[in-house]
Amino acid sequence: MRRPGGWWRVKSTPEKVETYTRWSFHLFGVIEVFALGVTAYGRTGAGLATALFLLVTAHAAVSMLVSSRALDWTLGRRPQPVRLMWTLVVVSAVVSATAVVIAERGPAGEVETAAGSVYGGVLCFAAGVITLGVSGRRRMVAVVGGFAVGAGLLTFPLEMPLLASVVLAGLVMVTGGFLAITSIFSLWLLNAVYALDEARETRARLAVAEERLRFGRDLHDVMGRNLAVIALKSELAVQLSRRGRPEAVEQMIEVQRIAQESQREVRDVVRGYREAALEVELAGARGVLSAAGIVAEIDGETAGLPPEVQSALGWVVREATTNVLRHGDAKKVAVTVRMSEGRVVLTVENDGVAETTGDGPPTGSGGSGLSGLRERLSAVAGTLEAGPVGRGVFRLTAEVPLPAAAGSALEAAS
């Protein structure tokens, strides 16, 4: 069973910001219902108050739907909700006109105040919501200005003074403009978060591509020259052999030597590509995590460790860092290297484990990444333990025994 709040923890940072933004827009509808609909019960009779409440509730529901579809359109998931926006315009006009009729023909007194609040309020909220579905500064200003002008024109049946109509139109302009600016800023912030997340992924892909290019360049440098020499000497050996010259044997021996040398150099290149130095991996993990906005705390001494131990633990750091970036939403990662009774203990702990029930990334013994690490550690008689150790905390611990000579030297140095 998923723990309370687990649905939130499994979301990425952009998804969390999107959820927060979406429900902030829905909160506008809730505020509209309480500020305009519920307060009507304290200003007029139950019958008229209920009518105003139902009108405001219907308008708020349409506004919520428009804001949600407009948000999806901004993120490129749906077409522009043109029909829904026109529907909101019509509903706003109907609710405002009905409020005018209630204020004009209803009982005198506070009903005019209640109807007037509904009349101006729905136009303000509608202006702020519809700007979510349009692009361009001029169109947004035109939307808010159109609602302000409409608010002024609809006051003529009430025979309101011209100054009062202008003030009401200005109020709709200011309030609707404020809601529009708030909504547009929220959308801008959401798009910026998604753009930053995409840039981080692009940076990671570029790093992988750069490493592949480096590997290909190293292979080309090693093999290109040797293969050219092999081809030249082989051709020379063929020519000498056709002429019956004994030097052909010497040329083929040289070809054999160069081929064996090429094999050794290729193995060195591949070994250097596959091996992971612990100190280098710790520095790389710090840089990658810092670039992702995660606080990285690195503690411990790596000097003097045997190359095979450094390589095994370096791969642990690399895999653990990758898992932190791919899964969960960590804010802090602590990496510790310590010596304990002839063993090197590497601990990687983060506070962003995704709590799932089987449909998410593995947090225990499963997963091909952890299996690969156990295979690498088993080659140096090491062990690996991984799993949650508290609420939202994931810890990975790798232990590798030190050779007798290296262990004695490190203990003496410490």
Side-chain angles (χ1 to χ4, degrees), residues 378-401:
S378 64
V380 291
T383 60
L384 179 71
E385 295 182 0
V389 294
R391 186 175 182 181
V393 178
F394 186 86
R395 180 184 298 163
L396 185 148
T397 303
E399 294 188 12
V400 178

Side-chain angles (χ1 to χ4, degrees), residues 79-276:
Q80 187 178 17
V82 178
R83 293 184 178 180
L84 273 177
M85 290 191 296
W86 279 111
T87 301
L88 180 58
V89 172
V90 173
V91 172
S92 301
V94 170
V95 173
S96 299
T98 304
V100 169
V101 172
I102 292 176
E104 185 178 15
R105 300 186 179 182
E110 293 185 352
V111 66
E112 296 181 356
T113 304
S117 299
V118 172
Y119 168 77
V122 295
L123 295 178
C124 293
F125 280 103
V129 170
I130 290 182
T131 53
L132 294 173
V134 298
S135 59
R137 189 178 304 172
R138 293 183 178 180
R139 293 181 180 180
M140 296 175 185
V141 173
V143 168
V144 177
F147 273 92
V149 172
L153 294 177
L154 285 176
T155 58
F156 283 101
L158 295 176
E159 298 181 355
M160 291 180 60
L162 179 60
L163 181 60
S165 300
V166 172
V167 170
L168 180 59
L171 181 62
V172 172
M173 172 71 78
V174 173
T175 307
F178 173 77
L179 293 176
I181 292 174
T182 303
S183 302
I184 297 305
F185 178 77
S186 299
L187 289 182
W188 174 83
L189 180 62
L190 177 60
N191 288 326
V193 171
Y194 269 109
L196 289 174
D197 186 69
E198 184 178 355
R200 186 179 67 177
E201 293 181 358
T202 302
R203 181 177 180 179
R205 288 195 297 268
L206 289 176
V208 173
E210 183 180 357
E211 180 64 16
R212 289 176 178 174
L213 288 174
R214 184 198 67 80
F215 183 63
R217 184 173 60 251
D218 290 346
L219 280 180
H220 178 270
D221 294 342
V222 169
M223 296 299 297
R225 171 179 51 83
N226 291 349
L227 288 176
V229 174
I230 289 174
L232 180 62
K233 287 189 172 291
S234 298
E235 184 179 355
L236 178 59
V238 170
Q239 296 297 330
L240 293 173
S241 177
R242 287 176 178 176
R243 298 174 184 176
R245 301 285 296 275
E247 293 87 346
V249 177
E250 297 179 1
Q251 294 297 327
M252 291 307 300
I253 293 176
E254 183 68 13
V255 167
Q256 183 181 21
R257 186 191 65 79
I258 296 175
Q260 292 174 348
E261 182 70 15
S262 298
Q263 288 180 331
R264 185 188 63 79
E265 291 180 352
V266 169
R267 284 195 296 268
D268 291 341
V269 171
V270 174
R271 187 181 300 111
Y273 181 73
R274 287 184 174 179
E275 288 182 353

Side-chain angles (χ1 to χ4, degrees), residues 311-397:
S311 178
L313 294 180
W315 274 102
V316 174
V317 173
R318 183 182 300 182
E319 181 68 21
T321 304
T322 302
N323 287 338
V324 169
L325 295 176
R326 288 181 177 177
H327 311 308
D329 187 20
K331 299 295 185 297
K332 179 181 177 181
V333 176
V335 182
T336 304
V337 182
R338 58 185 175 86
M339 310 295 173
S340 176
E341 299 179 354
R343 303 176 68 85
V344 183
V345 182
L346 171 68
T347 304
V348 182
E349 186 174 296
N350 71 86
D351 60 354
V353 61
E355 299 172 5
T356 60
T357 57
D359 54 349
T363 60
S365 60
S368 58
L370 296 182
S371 299
L373 289 181
R374 288 190 172 91
E375 292 177 1
R376 291 180 181 274
L377 290 173
S378 64
V380 291
T383 60
L384 179 71
E385 295 182 0
V389 294
R391 186 175 182 181
V393 178
F394 186 86
R395 180 184 298 163
L396 185 148
T397 303

